[in-house]
Amino acid sequence: MSSQANLPEIRTTRQPSRQTTDVLLVGAGVMSATLGALLQSLEPDWSITVLERLDGPALESSDPWNNAGTGHAALCELNYTPQLADGSVDVSKALKINEQFQLSRQMWSYAVENGQLADPSSFVNPVPHVSFVRGAENAEYLRRRYDALAESPLFEGIELIEDREEFARRLPLMADGRDDDEPIALNWSQNGTDVDYGSLTRQFIDSLERRGADIRYGQQVKNLSKQTDGTWVAKVKDRQQGSTYQLNARFVFVGAGGGALHLLQKSGIEEIKGFAGFPVSGQFLRCLNTDIADRHWAKVYGLAAVGAPPMSVPHLDTRVIDGQRSLLFGPYAGWTPKFLKNGSFTDLPRSIRLNNLMPMLGVGVTSMPLVKYLVLEVLKSSKSRIDELNVFAPSADADDWELITAGQRVQVVRKKGKGGSLEFGTSIISAADGSIAGLLGASPGASTSVAAMLEVLEKCFGSQFEAWKPKLKEIVPSYGVSLAENPSLLADLRDWTDRTLQLSTSEQPAN
């Protein structure tokens, strides 16, 4: 594989006015922040520039109110453990995602110990992750799910709870007002987390700047063009000054969320051809009343409605943001052609190319259930939203909850045969020579940012990667090793990350 070692060296003084850089990170979200922190640890002499179109970091999908902060480890998300036709439960995706989240925990622990991140409670807190179902048939599915996951050391400690008194003790808000005759079941994982990705991102960005990176806000990358020497020139608009300038970079990562597709298309790389994006907006009900929030200390995920897409999985979440406890319920999907919450209504039409038209049309033909779901979601009344909340919390009062708009998600449309497929996940797109890469897609997204950025390093820095491995093993000790097959290493790393991130208990804290 080609690598950056074959490209010309660009070295600059670390001045805000510099117009060349080794590494250009487009977007100041969790992906760019994570990749920047890794590269700065691996190559402290490389110059790094971050360009963000908004006025600060983590203002789009990484903002804590633009996502559910679940810290996806597949402990509770039932869409990661589908029931197959023969009644068995496929847990392969859950095992993969859990392994990926372990990498995130390890890098965050390393960053805390090395001063890149501050007080762990400012960005991660222990909160149980819980799967919740109603009805005898669904309860049987949850038993089979429990049996399948309990065999793996990654899910050590998972519990199956069907006793109503224990249900009421652990989840009083959900038990209050519930029909005693209704069968219920829980899978309970005590070692779940709530993550404030906004705080995490800001701390990584601040650390980058303290250590010499050039962080620029209000700077919109309008175009990316490859030079004959293998470097890239970014055409940048200073939104504050109204002026335009060019920045030359040896390596470019496009971590611009929904804006990544447009920039990768403008780069002209062959690998982006056939890709398109399908935007989906989201809303949540939020409760800031601490008396109510204190009665629910868990992230509880249910089953999506029959025919609904994976992104529709309902959940009632404890959030800890700036030390304040609150609750979030949703999501309620919507639709807009914007690719970013602060985007433009022309985002979708401007992304259509001849090379992705057929995949888009193919998805349109095969995704009628999704279209129907989105139409019904858009037409949903306030009462209907509260009715769905009452499935989780029967006594919830509409007066205690407010509707908020979450971040925009752009689902990946990929060419498949003569048509296309709609994918609910993330995809790394990189040029063959490793000079540019970007990330498309959504959930589990931020939770697996470390795994995703390690993939970028491996794909784009082939010749350096072997030399980096010893340092990478300091940052993420389990990289390249299956923790599911090494339970003693898993136990050691879990002890380390629990201690460093202060996650040793997820019992509800005292008021």
Side-chain angles (χ1 to χ4, degrees), residues 377-449:
E377 286 287 289
V378 170
L379 297 176
K380 188 168 288 181
S381 66
S382 298
K383 181 181 182 303
S384 296
R385 294 190 185 99
I386 295 298
D387 287 345
E388 291 188 15
L389 169 61
N390 289 149
V391 172
F392 278 69
S395 62
D397 188 325
D399 292 340
D400 296 316
W401 298 77
E402 61 178 330
L403 188 66
I404 64 171
T405 300
Q408 193 77 347
R409 301 292 185 264
V410 180
Q411 309 298 338
V412 176
V413 176
R414 186 191 297 263
K415 185 177 181 180
K416 185 177 182 180
K418 295 182 179 180
S421 64
L422 184 64
E423 299 180 356
F424 298 96
T426 53
S427 297
I428 300 292
I429 311 298
S430 61
D433 68 356
S435 63
I436 186 171
L439 184 137
L440 304 179
S443 185
S447 301
T448 57
S449 56

Side-chain angles (χ1 to χ4, degrees), residues 64-69 194 283-288 296 298-300 314-319 321 326-331 389 401-402 404 406:
W65 291 121
N66 284 342
N67 60 71
D194 172 72
Q283 294 179 311
F284 284 92
L285 288 173
R286 177 174 66 182
C287 176
L288 299 177
H296 182 81
K299 289 180 178 289
V300 182
H315 46 100
L316 178 60
D317 294 353
T318 291
R319 297 306 318 270
I321 299 173
S326 57
L327 297 180
L328 205 65
F329 178 78
L389 169 61
W401 298 77
E402 61 178 330
I404 64 171

Side-chain angles (χ1 to χ4, degrees), residues 274 276-278 352-368 371 413-415 418-421:
F278 185 84
I352 303 300
R353 303 285 192 276
L354 285 176
N355 61 66
N356 65 17
L357 181 58
M358 292 307 295
M360 284 292 288
L361 292 175
V363 166
V365 170
T366 60
S367 299
M368 290 309 297
V371 173
V413 176
R414 186 191 297 263
K415 185 177 181 180
K418 295 182 179 180
S421 64

Side-chain angles (χ1 to χ4, degrees), residues 1-154:
M1 180 182 293
S2 298
S3 77
Q4 293 301 301
N6 300 322
L7 297 180
E9 292 293 319
I10 297 176
R11 286 290 181 266
T12 67
T13 58
R14 287 186 169 87
Q15 300 296 326
S17 60
R18 72 166 181 240
Q19 300 300 298
T20 60
T21 188
D22 288 324
V23 175
L24 171 59
L25 304 175
V26 183
V30 68
M31 295 295 175
S32 290
T34 300
L35 181 58
L38 284 168
L39 283 172
Q40 204 171 58
S41 296
L42 294 167
E43 295 287 351
D45 292 332
W46 284 10
S47 55
I48 297 175
T49 300
V50 180
L51 299 181
E52 167 58 52
R53 65 187 290 268
L54 300 180
D55 295 333
L59 295 180
E60 277 282 351
S61 295
S62 300
D63 181 272
W65 291 121
N66 284 342
N67 60 71
T70 298
H72 289 291
L75 298 172
C76 58
E77 304 90 332
L78 297 175
N79 53 306
Y80 296 152
T81 54
Q83 182 169 264
L84 304 180
D86 63 0
S88 64
V89 178
D90 180 4
V91 298
S92 57
K93 188 172 184 179
L95 296 175
K96 178 181 178 180
I97 291 174
N98 191 287
E99 289 262 15
Q100 291 175 333
F101 187 66
Q102 300 302 324
L103 298 176
S104 293
R105 284 175 55 126
Q106 291 163 40
M107 181 180 174
W108 300 344
S109 293
Y110 172 88
V112 168
E113 291 184 339
N114 287 273
Q116 292 171 295
L117 296 175
D119 175 14
S121 66
S122 66
F123 66 89
V124 63
N125 284 274
V127 175
H129 284 194
V130 184
S131 305
F132 163 66
V133 299
R134 302 178 299 146
E137 184 176 344
N138 289 332
E140 179 56 34
Y141 154 70
L142 212 61
R143 292 185 202 105
R144 289 195 292 270
R145 177 183 185 271
Y146 164 79
D147 289 338
L149 290 176
E151 294 178 355
S152 170
L154 291 167

Side-chain angles (χ1 to χ4, degrees), residues 34-335:
T34 300
L35 181 58
L38 284 168
L39 283 172
Q40 204 171 58
S41 296
L42 294 167
E43 295 287 351
D45 292 332
W46 284 10
S47 55
I48 297 175
T49 300
V50 180
L51 299 181
E52 167 58 52
R53 65 187 290 268
L54 300 180
D55 295 333
L59 295 180
E60 277 282 351
S61 295
S62 300
D63 181 272
W65 291 121
N66 284 342
N67 60 71
T70 298
H72 289 291
L75 298 172
C76 58
E77 304 90 332
L78 297 175
N79 53 306
Y80 296 152
T81 54
Q83 182 169 264
L84 304 180
D86 63 0
S88 64
V89 178
D90 180 4
V91 298
S92 57
K93 188 172 184 179
L95 296 175
K96 178 181 178 180
I97 291 174
N98 191 287
E99 289 262 15
Q100 291 175 333
F101 187 66
Q102 300 302 324
L103 298 176
S104 293
R105 284 175 55 126
Q106 291 163 40
M107 181 180 174
W108 300 344
S109 293
Y110 172 88
V112 168
E113 291 184 339
N114 287 273
Q116 292 171 295
L117 296 175
D119 175 14
S121 66
S122 66
F123 66 89
V124 63
N125 284 274
V127 175
H129 284 194
V130 184
S131 305
F132 163 66
V133 299
R134 302 178 299 146
E137 184 176 344
N138 289 332
E140 179 56 34
Y141 154 70
L142 212 61
R143 292 185 202 105
R144 289 195 292 270
R145 177 183 185 271
Y146 164 79
D147 289 338
L149 290 176
E151 294 178 355
S152 170
L154 291 167
F155 290 82
E156 181 182 3
I158 189 173
E159 299 176 73
L160 175 65
I161 298 171
E162 297 177 286
D163 180 76
R164 296 303 290 252
E165 290 186 4
E166 186 62 14
F167 172 75
R169 185 185 74 83
R170 299 198 189 196
L171 298 171
L173 183 65
M174 292 183 63
D176 188 19
R178 187 171 298 277
D179 182 358
D180 290 337
D181 295 330
E182 179 185 51
I184 57 94
L186 306 174
N187 282 170
W188 186 284
S189 296
Q190 191 71 12
N191 61 341
T193 55
D194 172 72
V195 185
D196 181 341
Y197 289 106
S199 177
L200 178 74
T201 301
R202 288 191 296 272
Q203 291 183 45
F204 269 138
I205 293 291
D206 287 347
S207 174
L208 283 171
E209 189 165 31
R210 288 195 309 271
R211 301 178 186 206
D214 182 3
I215 314 297
R216 308 183 193 181
Y217 300 113
Q219 310 295 302
Q220 183 170 2
V221 178
K222 304 292 287 185
N223 196 24
L224 291 167
S225 57
K226 193 170 186 181
Q227 306 303 291
T228 56
D229 65 0
T231 63
W232 289 87
V233 167
K235 181 181 179 182
V236 186
K237 180 179 180 180
D238 186 324
R239 301 180 74 200
Q240 300 165 343
Q241 303 296 326
S243 57
T244 301
Y245 61 93
Q246 292 186 342
L247 179 67
N248 185 253
R250 196 160 77 70
F251 169 75
V252 178
F253 174 70
V254 185
L261 177 61
H262 283 148
L263 284 175
L264 289 171
Q265 288 176 328
K266 289 181 178 180
S267 75
I269 61 172
E270 189 70 23
E271 291 77 8
I272 195 60
K273 292 181 179 179
F275 280 88
F278 185 84
V280 178
S281 61
Q283 294 179 311
F284 284 92
L285 288 173
R286 177 174 66 182
C287 176
L288 299 177
N289 185 327
T290 55
D291 290 337
I292 297 173
D294 287 346
R295 301 189 65 224
H296 182 81
W297 189 252
K299 289 180 178 289
V300 182
Y301 276 57
L303 284 166
V306 176
M311 61 184 150
S312 68
V313 174
H315 46 100
L316 178 60
D317 294 353
T318 291
R319 297 306 318 270
V320 183
I321 299 173
D322 296 328
Q324 178 70 39
R325 279 188 266 169
S326 57
L327 297 180
L328 205 65
F329 178 78
Y332 303 100
W335 192 84

Side-chain angles (χ1 to χ4, degrees), residues 487-507:
S488 60
L489 177 61
L490 172 61
D492 289 343
L493 293 176
R494 185 172 283 159
D495 287 344
W496 171 53
T497 57
D498 279 349
R499 182 179 66 257
T500 307
L501 299 178
Q502 301 172 15
L503 300 176
S504 58
T505 178
S506 51
E507 290 292 337

